[in-house]
Amino acid sequence: MLCCNAVFSQTANLVDKEKLFDFYQTQRYADAANYLRTVYGEDITDARTLSQIGYCYLMSGNNVDAEKFYLKAYSVQPHSLPILFSLASINSRRGNIDKAKLYYGEIVKIDSNNFSVYKSLANLFASNKDSLKLVYLVKANKLNPLEGDVANDLADVYAGLQEREKAYKVLNVAIAADTGNIILKKALLPIANFLKKYNEVIASGEKILSVDNDAYVIKDVAKAYYFTKNYTKAISLFKLLEVMGLQNEATLYYT
């Protein structure tokens, strides 16, 4: 073993770090992978080097060779979280969802409080109606309630389940941590409207419209004005939707 380590150390010293850095800087990842393979040869047993080559292939879009090298690294270090995450990501990209779930499952066994793994698992389920998607989003949100993407996805699932109070709370916690997040504020508007928080919708929606003339925001704010009996403002906004060619039967009802 000492002999093998000594040989590997000598080989590692042959790597031209400046050349490798240049490949990275210019995003020539395929060249970087090929260069590393010429230096280390084909009989690589060091997990770090195997992962490095796998990463280069992954960044170059070569998922086949990326998986090949990460699997070799996995055989050396089966409990390495970075290796497991990479294998899960590769399989997810290639549509091998069941394999991705297996690798993420291995991560959960090693680190049951890993926010990223629950977020990634939730993203494997396309339908908001899948109960496991809700389970993973709830776990991820519990570990990091301030993360906007998970909060947005969880609120969307809650809204679909008619649990809008929960959706409202989840979004507000995330918005409090990131007051400039327009995506979260937009997501909150229809939920707040449903909960009859019309003044809140108007105040927040008007601020959004000052920087983004989003049709959905216009519709939400128009509804809030309508329900607060400010019909003049409501009609003007609905007419704006008409000009934009986005008025439908639902909005015509209010005009």
Side-chain angles (χ1 to χ4, degrees), residues 34-107:
N34 292 332
Y35 171 67
L36 288 170
R37 290 182 70 173
T38 60
V39 173
Y40 288 104
E42 295 301 315
D43 298 323
I44 307 169
T45 57
D46 177 69
R48 182 177 178 182
T49 303
L50 289 165
S51 294
Q52 186 178 15
I53 297 173
Y55 172 79
C56 290
Y57 279 127
L58 183 62
M59 293 301 293
S60 72
N62 186 341
N63 290 319
V64 174
D65 282 331
E67 183 178 36
K68 173 184 173 183
F69 278 89
Y70 274 118
L71 281 172
K72 288 182 179 180
Y74 174 70
S75 68
V76 179
Q77 290 187 0
H79 298 120
S80 166
L81 294 187
I83 293 171
L84 288 167
F85 266 115
S86 296
L87 284 168
S89 176
I90 290 167
N91 280 283
S92 177
R93 290 185 185 189
R94 300 172 74 190
N96 298 325
I97 304 304
D98 287 340
K99 278 189 177 181
K101 289 178 183 177
L102 287 174
Y103 287 120
Y104 284 133
E106 289 300 309
I107 295 171

Side-chain angles (χ1 to χ4, degrees), residues 198-219:
Y198 304 126
N199 290 330
E200 181 181 325
V201 173
I202 291 168
S204 179
E206 288 287 11
K207 287 181 180 178
I208 295 172
L209 290 176
S210 68
V211 295
D212 183 359
N213 232 23
D214 184 280
Y216 290 103
V217 175
I218 293 172
K219 183 179 71 173

Side-chain angles (χ1 to χ4, degrees), residues 16 28 31 78 95 98-99 118 133 137 152-153 178-179 194 197 226 242 244 246:
D16 186 333
R28 293 162 58 194
D31 290 336
D98 287 340
K99 278 189 177 181
Y118 292 119
K133 181 166 188 172
L137 284 172
N152 195 15
D153 289 345
D178 183 5
T179 56
F194 186 89
K197 299 178 185 292
Y226 179 87
E242 186 178 5
M244 296 168 69
L246 295 169

Side-chain angles (χ1 to χ4, degrees), residues 134-173:
L134 175 60
V135 169
Y136 293 132
L137 284 172
V138 168
K139 286 185 177 181
N141 183 252
K142 185 177 181 180
L143 289 167
N144 186 0
L146 308 184
E147 206 273 350
D149 290 340
V150 167
N152 195 15
D153 289 345
L154 179 56
D156 193 34
V157 174
Y158 276 144
L161 295 171
Q162 310 301 315
E163 296 187 48
R164 291 182 177 83
E165 286 284 0
K166 289 183 178 180
Y168 181 81
K169 181 179 179 181
V170 165
L171 285 172
N172 267 307
V173 170

